[in-house]
Amino acid sequence: MQPYFLPYAGYFRLISGSDTFVVYDCVQFPRRGWAHRNKLRDANGVEQWLTLPLKPAPQDVRIDELEFAEDAAAELERRLRPFGLDRASGAAAALLADARNVQGRPVDYIVRLLETTCGLLDVPWNVVRSSSLELPASLRGQDRILEICRRLGAGRYINAPGGRDLYDPATFAAAGVRLQFLPPFDGAPGSILQRLLDDPPERVRAELYGWRPQD
């Protein structure tokens, strides 16, 4: 799965339900996606975008090549102000404090926030970044995913429900990999930071287990 900035709770089902979770960071940065932004409720209860301050980059830049703007820490602090986060406590306060610690490349920062969240939710952290596998640039789409499975010795690949239109079960089966998908997520859809502002970690964690991947 691509690394998402403070993603919705359903994202963490993939981490909780896999022996190895692959952060898919060696692909083109999706500018309209969730890698660098998410939504929180502002002081008036209206959802607004919170976007990471990134340095301008070419259209084809990879996720692992992104850089922060020079004043990223101060700019992120400015962008956080409308959300009235002074009320944060407990797990939400811990995650927010880590989010304010802007260091390294954006992908390092985002993955660190994912790991922090897993710690707060008591979810095991067994993660590999796809960029560390040095995959051939010629591999695209499901062929790239299958090569990751091959290198990690995977016999099963679990994906989010939205991946059904991207992958062919027969092609995976021919490669010796069982393709499965998570069922739709029925929890609250907001950012994990918003969830931890609203609910205790135990309630959020309960939504990550008890499911079975669908064939």
Side-chain angles (χ1 to χ4, degrees):
M1 194 75 171
Q2 293 179 8
Y4 287 174
F5 173 53
L6 300 173
Y8 78 121
Y11 182 103
F12 295 91
R13 292 186 302 166
L14 284 170
I15 302 177
S16 69
S18 58
D19 299 308
T20 301
F21 177 78
V22 179
V23 173
Y24 199 35
D25 64 344
C26 64
V27 291
Q28 184 175 341
F29 166 52
R31 296 173 186 271
R32 295 180 178 270
W34 299 89
H36 67 309
R37 61 182 187 165
N38 218 301
K39 289 184 176 182
L40 300 172
R41 290 197 303 272
D42 66 17
N44 297 316
V46 179
E47 277 197 337
Q48 304 285 354
W49 286 108
L50 172 64
T51 304
L52 291 175
L54 302 178
K55 183 180 291 186
Q59 187 69 30
D60 61 351
V61 66
R62 294 188 349 172
I63 293 173
D64 62 328
E65 296 171 337
L66 293 170
E67 297 181 30
F68 280 117
E70 291 185 7
D71 61 344
E75 178 60 21
L76 180 61
E77 192 63 38
R78 185 189 69 80
R79 296 181 185 187
L80 284 168
R81 286 175 195 155
F83 297 102
L85 297 172
D86 293 341
R87 65 186 177 90
S89 62
L95 182 56
L96 179 60
D98 204 20
R100 284 177 160 140
N101 182 20
V102 181
Q103 294 186 27
R105 288 182 177 269
V107 66
D108 302 322
Y109 167 87
I110 293 166
V111 172
R112 192 190 75 222
L113 292 182
L114 293 175
E115 184 174 7
T116 294
T117 303
C118 285
L120 294 169
L121 298 177
D122 196 25
V123 171
W125 180 256
N126 299 303
V127 172
V128 172
R129 284 167 56 169
S130 64
S131 56
S132 71
L133 301 177
E134 299 182 352
L135 301 169
S138 59
L139 290 176
R140 304 285 182 178
Q142 68 179 7
D143 292 334
R144 198 170 183 83
I145 301 300
L146 283 169
E147 179 61 15
I148 292 173
C149 291
R150 186 188 70 79
R151 294 196 184 194
L152 297 178
R156 180 173 61 155
Y157 175 60
I158 304 174
N159 196 255
R164 289 183 177 277
D165 295 333
L166 301 177
Y167 306 118
D168 175 38
T171 301
F172 275 76
V177 179
R178 186 179 183 188
L179 177 63
Q180 293 181 284
F181 297 93
L182 295 175
F185 182 62
D186 57 6
S191 162
I192 191 64
L193 178 56
Q194 187 67 63
R195 289 299 315 281
L196 291 175
L197 286 165
D198 297 339
D199 298 309
E202 296 78 12
R203 182 178 300 173
V204 179
R205 185 181 188 276
E207 298 175 357
L208 310 184
Y209 293 89
W211 55 267
R212 291 291 182 271
Q214 298 174 342
D215 295 338

